[in-house]
Amino acid sequence: MTAIAQRQAAAPISINLESIALGVYLVRDAFGGVMRYYTSILHLDALWYAPDGIAMLCLIQFISHCILRNRSILAALVLIQIVLSVVLGYIMLGTANAAFSSFKMMLPIFVGFCFCDSNLGHYKKLLAVVAVTFYLSVVGVFLTKYFVMPWVGFKYESFGAVREAGRLWWAYGGDDQRLMGFAADNTMAAFFILISYTLTSIRKSTTWCLLFGGIALYAIRLTTSKTTMIVLAVYLILLVLVRMLPEQSRFPAIKKIALWSFVSILVPFFLILAAAGTAAVPHTTMFSILDRINNSWQLPFVYMSQLMPVGIFTGCGAGCFNYPQKLFSPLAAYWVPVDNFYIGTYLMFGLPFAVFMVMVIRATFAVTDVYKLSLIFVCNMFTITVLNYGPATGLLTIALSFSEVFSRRAASTARAVDAAVMGRPRRVQALGPQGGFGDIGGELPRPVR
């Protein structure tokens, strides 16, 4: 037996816990309507919470890898901040159920963070699950257009609160049904089509991307999620444009697109300055965005100034102005749907979150994983008008895209731009066997643990 074979035989079996957690969260949430219905009628409700049990193990892995092994001070501070925010949320919301729900809500973050120091392209089995999720999610939307599924309108109880796994309803101003496919609602059905298409397209030919991109756009149109449809259309256009570039220019272009997408954080503030106070007329095209401008993005700060003035700086705790407050708190009357990830997260964590985002943007300059850069762009665009804390996979996806802020390189170099990485041409691997205009996948030697 050779020395290499002996080392392989002696090496322990490697289990990518974060990959398993993401896979089970994805399957559970992408098919949330189906899962809620059948686990309830079969009296297997505990299975719904199995991903959260795996996420608890990922919390331990986050402490072990990011804090102890990488010696990331930022990772330690983030963990402390989340714990303190859960406590502050309990003080703010006033019930143990709200505090427990807030803690459970934050668990997927640690799953996503565990992907630091890893290239998502190396998780072949996970990407296969993502691809199957894409195909089935599209099929699910088409099926619900012609058939009424048994989980539509099904109600279930969660920690004493009655919720609805799926419902069939109509968009303002027309007869278009908001179809939710196999998911629990139409927005999430569209989201899973968007995310699974994004991750699958990176290694596919341009022909596949255009064909299934068109199918995905039509499926999302059936869900009536305008935000998701716009984001997917823009992503598809940029994908084709990047593939038309010379090979050595593609990866820098992807990184620039990802970095510029952080400008979307400012979009709500510009819209508030431009259109605050404009009356939102029901059953019109602009009603949704004007309602966000006048209510969703501003009212929570008005209410927080009344309930906890210091929260403008410290945040009002995990779960405030999120579904734990809506479902489990005496302050439910003050709940407002905060349709923006960055505003909603700032409300909970305050200025520490702003500092964290500075570090995330700083670390993005050194990211070498095309999957993470693609997710950064897609998530930033999508969350302009969506909070994305529920279902859990939405928050997990964002955490995954930010995970390099805890990487060994980011923790050790502590620089905004790694000049060597930015200046060195990269070999860009084909996205498919016949790549059409070209390919943008990064094949970089970053081993999975």
Side-chain angles (χ1 to χ4, degrees), residues 77 242 323 351 438:
L77 292 175
V242 167
Y323 63 82
L351 287 177

Side-chain angles (χ1 to χ4, degrees), residues 414-448:
R415 291 185 297 172
V417 181
D418 186 336
V421 173
M422 292 295 290
R424 183 174 66 251
R426 285 177 173 73
R427 170 72 177 96
V428 180
Q429 191 190 32
L431 290 179
Q434 289 83 32
F437 290 122
D439 322 297
I440 60 173
E443 184 67 13
L444 296 166
R446 303 192 50 217
V448 178

Side-chain angles (χ1 to χ4, degrees), residues 101-118:
S101 179
S102 300
F103 174 72
K104 176 178 171 295
M105 178 184 73
M106 300 306 300
L107 279 177
I109 280 183
F110 300 106
V111 178
F113 288 162
C114 283
F115 281 90
C116 72
D117 292 316
S118 298

Side-chain angles (χ1 to χ4, degrees), residues 126-150:
L126 174 61
L127 291 176
V129 173
V130 172
V132 172
T133 300
F134 167 70
Y135 296 123
L136 291 180
S137 295
V138 170
V139 169
V141 172
F142 291 151
L143 284 177
T144 51
K145 179 175 175 60
Y146 300 103
F147 303 99
V148 177
M149 299 300 173

Side-chain angles (χ1 to χ4, degrees), residues 255-294:
K255 181 166 288 188
K256 288 178 182 177
I257 291 170
L259 286 166
W260 275 105
S261 71
F262 284 107
V263 176
S264 64
I265 296 174
L266 303 176
V267 169
F269 304 101
F270 287 128
L271 291 177
I272 289 172
L273 290 174
T278 303
V281 181
H283 308 287
T284 62
T285 303
M286 296 299 293
F287 175 82
S288 179
I289 189 65
L290 288 174
D291 181 63
R292 286 176 169 88
I293 292 171
N294 293 323

